[in-house]
Amino acid sequence: MIHLKHGTKSETRIDAPGALHHIIVSGIERKKIFRSDYDRKNFLNRLNNLIPETQTECFAWVLIPNHVHLLLKTGLIPVSVLMSRLLTGYAVWFNKKYRRHGQLFQNRYKSILCQEDIYLKELVRYIHLNPLRASLVEDMKSLDKYKWCGHSVLMNKASEEWQNIDYVYKLFSGKKRLAIKGYRAFIEKGISAGKRQDRVLSASVHSAKKNLA
């Protein structure tokens, strides 16, 4: 995987159709970018419009009070264009609603270019376990129903038409029932992996950079 910052020449060069990106959006000074469920719904509504319009694929996502994770595959237009429209629109709306001024996001966002065949499953798990790691939910049963994370969609407890669940299911089984069962077991196994999984993903970034040097 390769870390890229929004707007760099590297991102423009590499962000071709089919590129897989782990996107991380953070609030400035770690402040909240979502203060209510209404804010979260607004953000998801924007994704609901932009993902199909740009033919981008989204495999995983989670909304945490002060940050967002998205796993996107570049479609019709560069992910950088999609993110610019998403974050600019949301920031303007958020500032107007709460009568605030200034920057909402820290350095816009980070983009990590990933090798799909190696890291997609691990990244889906890493992203979807965030609510549990952040203590927003108590256990897996609560995570299964947590509506601000793509995990609940894959568990068939919520619906977001813009999330590509079929692609993820096929990583586990050709039959939906078995795929859901295999996916959940994989996610649950990641709880015990904990920091080991984080180290694996971090090491992969340094490895990718070294190979490109």
Side-chain angles (χ1 to χ4, degrees), residues 37-209:
D37 285 353
Y38 190 75
D39 298 345
R40 295 178 182 88
K41 288 178 182 177
N42 183 281
F43 193 89
L44 292 184
N45 284 340
R46 294 175 188 278
L47 281 173
N48 184 55
N49 292 328
L50 287 169
I51 294 291
E53 179 184 333
T54 59
Q55 295 181 24
T56 303
E57 294 186 79
C58 178
F59 303 116
W61 60 275
V62 64
L63 309 186
I64 305 297
N66 65 355
H67 68 280
V68 173
H69 289 269
L70 300 169
L71 186 58
L72 305 177
K73 180 187 281 189
T74 304
L76 189 64
I77 66 171
V79 162
S80 58
V81 176
L82 181 153
M83 292 304 301
S84 177
R85 292 174 60 185
L86 172 67
L87 300 185
T88 300
Y90 180 77
V92 170
W93 174 86
F94 186 92
N95 282 353
K96 183 177 180 180
K97 179 185 176 184
Y98 293 106
R99 298 181 180 180
R100 69 181 297 276
H101 300 279
Q103 193 172 338
L104 177 62
F105 302 110
Q106 184 73 37
N107 299 325
R108 303 292 286 180
Y109 68 89
K110 290 182 181 179
S111 176
I112 305 170
L113 189 65
C114 314
Q115 290 178 269
E116 180 179 330
D117 55 339
I118 299 175
Y119 299 114
L120 193 143
K121 284 175 67 174
E122 290 291 341
L123 284 166
V124 169
R125 178 162 66 180
Y126 173 78
I127 290 171
H128 287 169
L129 278 174
N130 263 264
L132 195 58
R133 293 196 178 106
S135 299
L136 297 176
V137 297
E138 294 181 356
D139 50 32
M140 279 298 300
K141 287 185 178 180
S142 300
L143 181 63
D144 290 345
K145 298 180 289 185
Y146 186 68
K147 60 183 178 180
W148 309 118
C149 178
H151 175 76
S152 62
V153 181
L154 284 162
M155 290 304 299
N156 207 28
K157 302 293 184 181
S159 177
E160 295 292 351
E161 293 184 1
W162 48 269
Q163 181 179 342
N164 189 337
I165 58 176
D166 291 334
Y167 191 93
V168 176
Y169 283 156
K170 288 178 182 178
L171 300 175
F172 298 93
S173 175
K175 296 183 178 180
K176 183 176 179 178
R177 181 179 62 82
L178 295 176
I180 293 175
K181 184 178 180 180
Y183 161 77
R184 192 183 189 282
F186 178 73
I187 295 296
E188 193 165 11
K189 187 177 180 182
I191 298 174
S192 59
K195 292 182 179 180
R196 292 198 305 273
Q197 186 187 23
D198 296 347
R199 287 197 294 268
V200 168
L201 293 175
S202 177
S204 68
V205 173
H206 295 296
S207 175
K209 285 183 176 179

